[in-house]
Amino acid sequence: QKEVEQDPGPLSVPEGAIVSLNCTYSNSAFQYFMWYRQYSRKGPELLMYTYSSGNKEDGRFTAQVDKSSKYISLFIRDSQPSDSATYLCAMSDTPNSGGSNYKLTFGKGTLLTVNP
Amino acid sequence: SQTIHQWPATLVQPVGSPLSLECTVEGTSNPNLYWYRQAAGRGLQLLFYSVGIGQISSEVPQNLSASRPQDRQFILSSKKLLLSDSGFYLCAWSVPSGSRQYTEAFFGQGTRLTVV
């Protein structure tokens, strides 16, 4: 079983739709969870991060973490064509858990297209 | 503010030729530095990370090596490229984990390497 599973898509939605992107993971030591957005031929840029379980909102983006289910989500409201990109989830554990948060474990990314 | 520079953006090299990719970070001291490779359908693979000058950790055995001659400079090298070395190479940095619990990574714009 891979440490992080992410549906690669592609996912195609009309402009204005609510988008739900998800990752599951197997390592219960993961404490920090991130979402990156990557436009074609560019480096990933950090969108959001959360610590442990809970929700975090930033504008049209909401990140959710459910540690009991080992499941994280990113919701995009009122999606725009400019949101078309690959979305990568990433996570790390902490030195306190015996791990090292030097390293992030990434999902393979979901390709999203928002059609005007 | 911190910035990360990575060059070249695109590179086409023949099999058996050497490789040198350079990455520099500005606006921060003693960052953790990373080299990732992103291949289609395989997600982001961590190749090397460094927590200080001259300190390199390798994540996977391969035809590549890394060096950190200065605090904010990270170099990815190969003596003889293989076809399988083709991919999108990304440099990233994060703040040292000792200064905070959480360490998100920030990426450069990547180098697309094609070995022919």
Side-chain angles (χ1 to χ4, degrees), chain B residues 28-83:
Chain B
T28 187
S29 296
N30 194 31
N32 293 333
L33 296 172
Y34 310 84
W35 278 110
Y36 286 88
R37 178 168 58 200
Q38 189 174 35
R42 298 187 62 184
L44 276 165
Q45 179 186 32
L46 179 62
L47 302 176
F48 300 95
Y49 70 93
S50 171
V51 300
I53 296 174
Q55 300 178 61
I56 308 295
S57 296
S58 175
E59 287 294 296
V60 292
Q62 60 210 329
N63 186 40
L64 302 169
S65 62
S67 61
R68 184 170 177 174
Q70 300 181 41
D71 181 45
R72 289 169 287 179
Q73 183 185 29
F74 206 23
I75 299 172
L76 182 70
S77 303
S78 174
K79 292 182 179 178
K80 287 186 179 182
L81 284 169
L82 305 172
L83 287 174

Side-chain angles (χ1 to χ4, degrees), chain A:
Chain A
Q1 181 186 12
K2 291 184 171 58
E3 275 200 297
V4 179
E5 299 272 9
Q6 184 176 9
D7 187 341
L11 182 61
S12 181
V13 302
E15 184 176 354
I18 296 175
V19 176
S20 173
L21 304 166
N22 312 293
C23 288
T24 59
Y25 63 94
S26 58
N27 187 349
S28 58
F30 286 145
Q31 297 281 350
Y32 297 104
F33 305 90
M34 288 140 274
W35 287 95
Y36 286 82
R37 177 175 62 195
Q38 186 177 21
Y39 292 113
S40 180
R41 298 182 171 271
K42 300 292 185 183
E45 58 178 322
L46 181 67
L47 265 182
M48 297 188 71
Y49 69 87
T50 53
Y51 171 68
S52 194
S53 287
N55 294 357
K56 185 173 183 179
E57 188 173 321
D58 184 2
R60 296 184 295 110
F61 298 90
T62 299
Q64 286 186 352
V65 174
D66 181 350
K67 290 192 67 183
S68 63
S69 301
K70 297 190 180 68
Y71 187 88
I72 69 171
S73 301
L74 178 71
F75 297 96
I76 307 174
R77 292 184 300 278
D78 188 25
S79 57
Q80 303 295 308
S82 59
D83 295 327
S84 298
T86 296
Y87 289 81
L88 300 154
C89 63
M91 45 201 80
S92 71
D93 56 16
T94 70
N96 292 340
S97 66
S100 167
N101 63 350
Y102 298 146
K103 299 181 285 185
L104 298 177
T105 301
F106 283 86
K108 290 186 178 181
T110 299
L111 177 61
L112 170 68
T113 301
V114 181
N115 301 300

